[in-house]
Amino acid sequence: NAGVTQTPKFQVLKTGQSMTLQCAQDMNHEYMSWYRQDPGMGLRLIHYSVGAGITDQGEVPNGYNVSRSTTEDFPLRLLSAAPSQTSVYFCASSPGAVYGYTFGSGTRLTVV
Amino acid sequence: GQNIDQPTEMTATEGAIVQINCTYQTSGFNGLFWYQQHAGEAPTFLSYNVLDGLEEKGRFSSFLSRSKGYSYLLLKELQMKDSASYLCACRDNYGQNFVFGPGTRLSVLP
C-alpha cells in the first residue's frame, strides 16, 4: 500500500493563478480531509469528505474548492492564488470516526 | 468552537521522562489524539483517548481527564529521535474531523 499520496511536493504560483493539489489513497478510507499548516497556528481544516460525492467546509474554506468523485481521490483546487495561501498543505484519510488520520507527505506551496 | 492549548517549546535530556500537557475547551468532544511531527515531515498518529485514564503504548503514554478538559503525553527513556513537534487534537462531536492545537516542539539534548 502506498498510503496517502500527494502531488506535487513543491509548487510556486503567481498571484491569480489556479492549480489543483492532488491527493489519492489506496486504503479504501471513507474519510478524507485537507489541512493547511502555518507557523504558530497548527493544522487548520480546509475541506473534508465522509465519502464519495459528499464534501463539506472546514475552518478555512475560502479560496478553495474540492470534489470527491471516487473513494480514492480528493483533489484541492485553488481558484485564484493569493500570497495568504502560501502554506504547507496536508491531505489525510481515515477509515472511520474512532481512528486517527493517515497524512500524506505534504505540498509546500508558495504564492508570489 | 474549540480551543486547544499546549506549551510552545520544551527541552529535555536523553534518557529522561517528559510530560507534554494539553488543555482543551470544546463545544463537542469525541476523543483526543496525539500526533508526532518531525521537522519537514507529515504528522504521524501516536495515541488516542476517549475515556478517562491512561493509555500506554511502549515508551509513550497518554492520559485524559474529560471533566478537566486536560490531557498529557508522557515520553519515557527519551531518545534523540524523539525531538519533534507533538500535536494534540480533539475530535469533534460528529466524529468527522480534528481540531489541532498549535503543537509543542520538544528538543532532546545529549
Side-chain angles (χ1 to χ4, degrees):
Chain A
N1 285 351
V4 180
T5 302
Q6 286 185 242
T7 56
K9 292 191 182 303
F10 300 94
Q11 183 70 47
V12 178
L13 288 179
K14 293 183 179 179
T15 297
Q17 286 184 316
S18 62
M19 79 159 295
T20 299
L21 307 186
Q22 301 291 345
C23 176
Q25 52 92 8
D26 61 358
M27 299 173 284
N28 202 32
H29 287 175
E30 290 297 322
Y31 291 7
M32 295 187 75
S33 295
W34 276 101
Y35 288 87
R36 60 178 288 174
Q37 188 172 38
D38 302 293
M41 301 190 71
L43 288 155
R44 292 183 292 169
L45 181 66
I46 304 171
H47 285 283
Y48 66 95
S49 170
V50 298
I54 306 169
T55 64
D56 207 345
Q57 297 180 351
E59 180 186 357
V60 288
N62 291 342
Y64 308 94
N65 273 354
V66 292
S67 60
R68 184 100 180 267
S69 56
T70 66
T71 299
E72 294 78 19
D73 299 301
F74 191 44
L76 178 72
R77 284 183 289 277
L78 278 72
L79 308 174
S80 177
S84 61
Q85 294 179 304
T86 294
S87 187
V88 180
Y89 291 83
F90 288 103
C91 178
S93 73
S94 168
V98 297
Y99 298 92
Y101 268 104
T102 298
F103 283 83
S105 58
T107 295
R108 189 173 296 272
L109 176 69
T110 301
V111 182
V112 297
Chain B
Q2 305 197 9
N3 184 50
I4 301 173
D5 198 25
Q6 306 177 235
T8 303
E9 293 190 40
M10 298 183 71
T11 303
T13 305
E14 192 175 16
I17 300 173
V18 70
Q19 178 174 311
I20 302 174
N21 295 326
C22 170
T23 57
Y24 63 89
Q25 294 174 315
T26 62
S27 56
F29 178 80
N30 198 26
L32 190 132
F33 291 71
W34 285 94
Y35 289 82
Q36 180 190 59
Q37 186 177 25
H38 286 101
E41 297 183 10
T44 55
F45 169 74
L46 285 179
S47 69
Y48 166 57
N49 295 71
V50 66
L51 300 176
D52 290 354
L54 188 69
E55 294 283 342
E56 297 187 77
K57 191 184 288 187
R59 294 189 299 115
F60 293 3
S61 303
S62 57
F63 172 83
L64 175 65
S65 169
R66 289 173 296 169
S67 62
K68 297 181 179 178
Y70 169 68
S71 174
Y72 67 72
L73 180 69
L74 193 71
L75 290 75
K76 304 174 187 175
E77 301 169 16
L78 280 172
Q79 302 175 9
M80 300 298 290
K81 66 178 182 179
D82 297 329
S83 292
S85 289
Y86 291 85
L87 314 178
C88 172
C90 289
R91 195 137 211 176
D92 68 23
N93 216 24
Y94 301 99
Q96 294 169 359
N97 282 296
F98 296 102
V99 175
F100 283 85
T104 298
R105 185 160 56 197
L106 173 67
S107 298
V108 180
L109 305 178

